[in-house]
């Protein structure tokens, strides 16, 4: 079973987004809003209006929406992020606000609130973070005290404050996480409720086009029917149930904005002549500032696509995969945008050339919807469990699968990914024997290495079999199969080298002299083979650069 839109409908939506941007969001206008830190609420309302209706993608068909799947949401999120990450964040916030109702609302709540968003195009905000509770949601202080009449809970009084709420100042209604006697629960609060104060909008580093504001609740009354799901204590579960999906959205933001920056750099490099020839012809320029970033973003896309298709095929919530996608894509996007500024030299530093705004905007993607560090932790915890449950075979088996892929598709670097996965398995086992994950840093580093390895595996599978957005011609650099294969080999080499060197570094760095097992670990990590696998690095980078 697979959910989502048909290809033609998705293409129509993507082209409508581009048309809308061409008409309503020219670069000069975006720059002006960015300068002023102004949220163009009317544009957002137009996007949610009857003509365009972007929000309908997120709403199931039975409530008047289009019932987009994870793949559709990825493509649309990427497309909006390419235009402006602030607008993309505002759309994300409405979807986040709806989430607890989609996954945990009663049938009446789902009908009422989703129909309202579908028909009225309401802007919604999602209020979880507090001044003293960000990554650690268990520290939330906002309270929801039941109001009892005739022995029945008839409503709740909410008191507390929420911090950094996207759409906070413009939302028509909010879903707010608060502590009720039965545990954390989401409540629906309407704009203008007595006791609800919207604070001054934040003056931000990036995504300045989105509205971010604090909210204060002083004894705000909501009727009992506004408790999402009708039962207290389900809030954390409702929040977690959709992480796979929502983190995939932010991953798509990292991808879209990262590509937007890189494409500007590539365009610039084709035209800018220094020392007698265009920059795009200079190896030291392309191999440092363009190629590695194109490769990392391609791998991020391969992983996002694979995860989206798995979610649509009903393979579960895939929270660890959502975290891997977010970590890989947002870190790659940030690095690409940073390199894009460098690639444009002094012009990159000027607002007119747009890459500095993209760089500022992108910075948020490694912070909101869970920071990169929290992603590393989430990934490490999940795969640590898999390592223990399979008695250390999880990555050994994955390496064997990549070995078989190499037999079938010898040019995608699968044998190098297998080296990386073998090293990873050995590092996890070594950490288990030495109880090294008692060191928080080791555990988090494992999470990062896992994200590299699993995205490299996805990239190799994609290079062997894929036919997808990755292969759609970009701005004059066709992703032909030989090119995708070269990118896969480049990513595989970088992954193997990173895991082997950083892995050995921290395993040695964690232990006292003479600790047992380090020799075995070194043999299993096989650093010499990882270095030998770098053969062909330069010619592959040349191949990718020539296609730019
Ligand atoms: C522009 C913007 C929009 C936002 N929109 C929303 C929204 O709409 N709704 C909403 O509810 N929230 C929103 N947020 C909040 C966002 O999700 C949080 O800022 C984020 O989760 C991090 O929380 P924090 O800022 O409290 O940082 P902290 O949790 O205090 O983290 C600070 C640093 O410490 C690290 N860290 C935290 N815990 C650990 C740990 N256990 N071990 C190691 N390192 C750790 C973090 O990775 C980070 O680097 C938004 C934030 C911003 C800036």
């Amino acid at each position: 079973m697979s959910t989502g839109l048909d290809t033609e409908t998705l293409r129509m939506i993507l082209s409508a987004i581009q048309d809308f941007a061409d008409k309503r969001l020219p670069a000069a206008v975006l720059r002006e809003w960015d300068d002023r830190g102004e949220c163009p609420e009317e544009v957002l309302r137009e996007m949610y209006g009857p003509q365009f209706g972007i929000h309908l993608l997120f709403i199931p068909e039975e409530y008047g929406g289009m019932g987009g799947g994870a793949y559709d949401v990825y493509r649309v999120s990427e497309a909006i992020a390419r235009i402006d990450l602030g607008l993309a964040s505002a759309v994300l916030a409405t979807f986040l606000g709806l989430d607890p109702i989609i996954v945990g609302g009663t049938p009446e709540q789902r009908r009422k609130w989703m129909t309202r968003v579908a028909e009225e195009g309401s802007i919604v905000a999602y209020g979880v973070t507090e001044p003293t509770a960000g990554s650690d949601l268990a520290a939330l202080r906002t309270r929801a005290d039941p109001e009892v009449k005739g022995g029945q809970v008839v409503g709740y009084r909410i008191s507390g404050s929420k911090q950094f709420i996207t759409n906070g100042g413009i939302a028509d209604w909010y879903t707010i996480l608060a502590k009720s006697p039965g545990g954390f629960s989401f409540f629906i609060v309407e704009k203008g409720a007595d006791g609800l104060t919207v604070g001054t909008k934040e003056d931000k580093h990036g995504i300045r086009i989105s509205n971010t504001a604090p909210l204060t609740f002083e004894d705000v009354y909501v009727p009992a029917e506004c408790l999402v799901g009708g039962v207290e204590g389900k809030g954390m579960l409702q929040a977690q149930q959709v992480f796979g999906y929502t983190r995939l959205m932010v991953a798509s933001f990292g991808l879209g904005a990262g590509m937007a920056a890189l494409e500007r750099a590539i365009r610039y490099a084709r035209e800018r002549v220094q020392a007698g020839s265009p920059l795009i012809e200079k190896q030291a320029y392309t191999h440092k500032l363009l190629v590695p970033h194109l490769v990392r973003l391609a791998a991020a896309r391969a992983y996002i696509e694979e995860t989206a298709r798995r979610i649509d095929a009903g393979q579960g919530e895939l929270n660890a995969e959502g975290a891997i996608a977010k970590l890989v894509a947002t870190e790659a996007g940030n690095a690409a945008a940073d390199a894009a500024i460098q690639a444009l030299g002094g012009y990159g530093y000027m607002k007119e050339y747009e890459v500095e705004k993209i760089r500022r905007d992108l910075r948020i993607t490694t912070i909101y919807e869970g920071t990169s560090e929290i992603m590393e932790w989430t990934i490490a915890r999940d795969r640590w469990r898999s390592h223990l449950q399979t008695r250390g075979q999880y990555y050994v088996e994955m390496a064997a699968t990549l070995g078989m892929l190499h037999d079938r598709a010898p040019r995608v670097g699968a044998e190098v990914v297998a080296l990386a996965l073998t090293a990873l398995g050995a590092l996890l086992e070594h950490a288990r024997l030495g109880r090294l994950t008692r060191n928080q840093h080791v555990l988090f580093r494992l999470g990062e290495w896992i994200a590299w390895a699993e995205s490299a595996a996805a990239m190799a599978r994609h290079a062997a079999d894929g036919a997808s957005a990755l292969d759609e011609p970009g701005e004059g650099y066709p992703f032909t199969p030989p090119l995708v294969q070269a990118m896969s080999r480049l990513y595989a080499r970088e992954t193997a080298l990173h895991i082997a060197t950083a892995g050995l570094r921290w395993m040695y760095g964690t232990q006292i002299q003479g600790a047992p097992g380090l020799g075995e670990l070194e043999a299993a990590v096989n650093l010499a083979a990882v270095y030998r696998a770098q053969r062909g690095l330069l010619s592959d980078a040349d191949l990718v650069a020539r296609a730019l």
Side-chain angles (χ1 to χ4, degrees):
M1 182 204 73
S2 188
T3 55
L5 307 178
D6 59 80
T7 314
E8 201 38 50
T9 310
L10 177 60
R11 274 188 204 283
M12 269 166 50
I13 294 176
L14 293 173
S15 112
I17 291 171
Q18 198 48 57
D19 288 348
F20 183 80
D22 292 343
K23 272 194 221 108
R24 296 286 281 117
L25 307 166
V29 171
L30 290 174
R31 198 161 60 241
E32 225 177 283
W33 288 329
D34 174 68
D35 272 347
R36 294 205 297 261
E38 181 184 319
C39 170
E41 187 182 335
E42 70 290 353
V43 171
L44 201 58
R45 296 215 178 259
E46 224 177 299
M47 287 173 80
Y48 289 9
Q51 297 283 326
F52 193 176
I54 192 73
H55 60 300
L56 296 177
L57 182 74
F58 303 99
I59 299 172
E61 282 173 292
E62 60 206 285
Y63 304 110
M66 298 178 79
Y71 182 84
D72 309 313
V73 168
Y74 133 59
R75 293 295 302 273
V76 167
S77 301
E78 182 199 0
I80 305 177
R82 273 172 178 272
I83 296 158
D84 183 83
L85 208 43
L87 277 180
S89 303
V91 173
L92 166 76
T94 289
F95 178 59
L96 277 176
L98 269 181
D99 266 351
I101 301 170
I102 293 177
V103 299
T106 62
E108 298 77 48
Q109 285 170 337
R110 288 163 61 94
R111 196 165 43 248
K112 176 175 171 182
W113 297 100
M114 282 199 264
T115 309
R116 212 169 129 179
V117 172
E119 287 177 359
E120 296 170 19
S122 332
I123 295 176
V124 186
Y126 178 73
V128 171
T129 306
E130 297 186 0
T132 53
S135 302
D136 178 16
L137 291 184
L140 291 184
R141 289 186 187 165
T142 297
R143 279 193 348 261
D145 298 322
E147 190 142 298
V148 180
K149 274 197 187 132
Q152 288 265 359
V153 175
V154 292
Y156 291 85
R157 292 204 170 269
I158 302 176
S159 304
S161 48
K162 294 289 170 185
Q163 184 81 337
F164 304 143
I165 305 306
T166 305
N167 294 344
I170 58 170
D172 299 303
W173 51 275
Y174 306 83
T175 36
I176 300 296
L177 190 59
K179 206 173 192 170
S180 53
F184 293 109
S185 312
F186 276 104
F187 294 89
I188 302 163
V189 181
E190 296 214 47
K191 171 185 175 174
D194 273 351
L196 167 61
T197 312
V198 176
T200 312
K201 71 168 190 205
E202 303 289 352
D203 187 6
K204 304 193 292 290
H205 173 66
I207 57 165
R208 291 171 58 79
I209 287 178
S210 71
N211 172 281
T212 314
L215 305 172
T216 310
F217 297 81
E218 283 174 289
D219 237 13
V220 174
Y221 180 77
V222 293
E225 71 216 33
C226 288
L227 164 65
V228 174
V231 182
E232 292 178 13
K234 304 277 186 205
M236 288 298 182
L237 189 69
Q238 289 159 358
Q240 275 159 15
Q241 257 175 316
V242 288
F243 271 154
Y245 216 85
T246 57
R247 288 179 174 163
L248 207 63
M249 271 181 90
V250 182
S252 313
F253 290 177
L255 175 64
M259 281 306 295
L262 205 55
E263 283 168 5
R264 280 164 179 76
I266 293 169
R267 274 203 299 269
Y268 181 84
R270 285 179 186 149
E271 284 163 20
R272 177 73 169 172
V273 173
Q274 288 292 284
S277 61
L279 291 172
I280 202 89
E281 291 173 13
K282 298 183 192 300
Q283 196 188 46
Y285 178 95
T286 53
H287 289 25
K288 180 181 174 193
L289 299 174
L290 304 180
V291 172
H293 301 288
L294 194 62
V295 167
R296 278 178 75 180
L297 286 168
R301 184 189 293 287
Y303 194 84
I304 291 172
E305 286 207 12
E306 199 174 271
T307 305
R309 292 195 192 282
R310 288 180 61 196
I311 293 178
D312 286 342
Q315 290 185 24
E317 288 154 12
L318 303 185
N319 281 351
E321 284 77 1
I324 291 175
K326 182 177 187 290
L327 180 65
V328 169
T330 60
E331 292 290 344
N334 271 278
D338 202 54
I341 294 184
Q342 191 71 15
L344 267 73
Y347 297 95
Y349 204 63
M350 302 300 144
K351 292 199 167 182
E352 191 189 338
Y353 286 78
E354 297 174 3
V355 286
E356 72 80 37
K357 171 178 173 293
I358 300 176
R359 175 74 187 95
R360 280 188 287 111
D361 287 351
L362 256 165
R363 198 62 192 81
I364 191 59
T365 59
T366 62
I367 298 173
Y368 67 12
E369 265 305 277
T371 64
S372 282
E373 294 70 37
I374 298 303
M375 294 308 99
E376 290 169 357
W377 189 23
T378 306
I379 298 161
R381 271 183 319 189
D382 189 274
R383 297 306 197 240
W384 184 251
R385 233 185 348 257
S386 306
H387 179 78
L388 298 184
Q389 278 166 358
T390 58
R391 297 180 183 277
Q393 293 305 297
Y394 191 75
Y395 288 109
V396 174
E397 281 169 14
M398 207 182 281
T401 323
L402 268 290
M404 285 189 281
L405 180 64
H406 174 65
D407 295 339
R408 183 163 68 74
R411 299 198 48 77
V412 300
E415 78 287 15
V416 184
V417 182
L419 274 179
L421 289 164
T422 305
L424 182 62
L427 291 164
L428 281 158
E429 187 55 12
H430 186 80
R432 184 185 74 80
L433 292 171
R435 296 167 172 256
L436 302 183
T437 53
R438 281 177 304 181
N439 303 289
Q440 195 201 22
H441 186 60
V442 171
L443 183 67
F444 280 38
R445 297 283 40 83
L446 283 168
E448 188 222 334
W449 304 332
I450 289 166
W452 273 96
E454 294 200 22
S455 54
M459 181 68 191
R461 283 190 290 269
H462 174 84
D465 302 320
S468 65
L470 191 58
D471 303 320
E472 282 179 14
E475 292 201 351
Y477 39 92
F479 284 138
T480 57
L483 189 62
V484 176
Q485 288 166 7
M487 292 202 285
S488 182
R489 292 193 294 271
L490 286 166
Y491 193 70
R493 290 188 190 101
E494 190 179 1
T495 299
L497 188 68
H498 179 62
I499 293 174
T501 53
L504 283 178
R505 178 175 186 228
W506 281 106
M507 293 305 143
Y508 270 102
T510 315
Q511 294 189 5
I512 49 164
Q513 208 172 1
L518 279 164
E520 278 164 50
L521 176 68
E522 261 191 55
V525 167
N526 202 351
L527 202 52
V530 170
Y531 277 117
R532 280 196 299 274
Q534 307 301 314
R535 267 192 211 118
L537 182 60
L538 192 75
S539 57
D540 277 343
D542 286 343
L543 199 126
V544 177
R546 273 200 300 277
L548 295 176

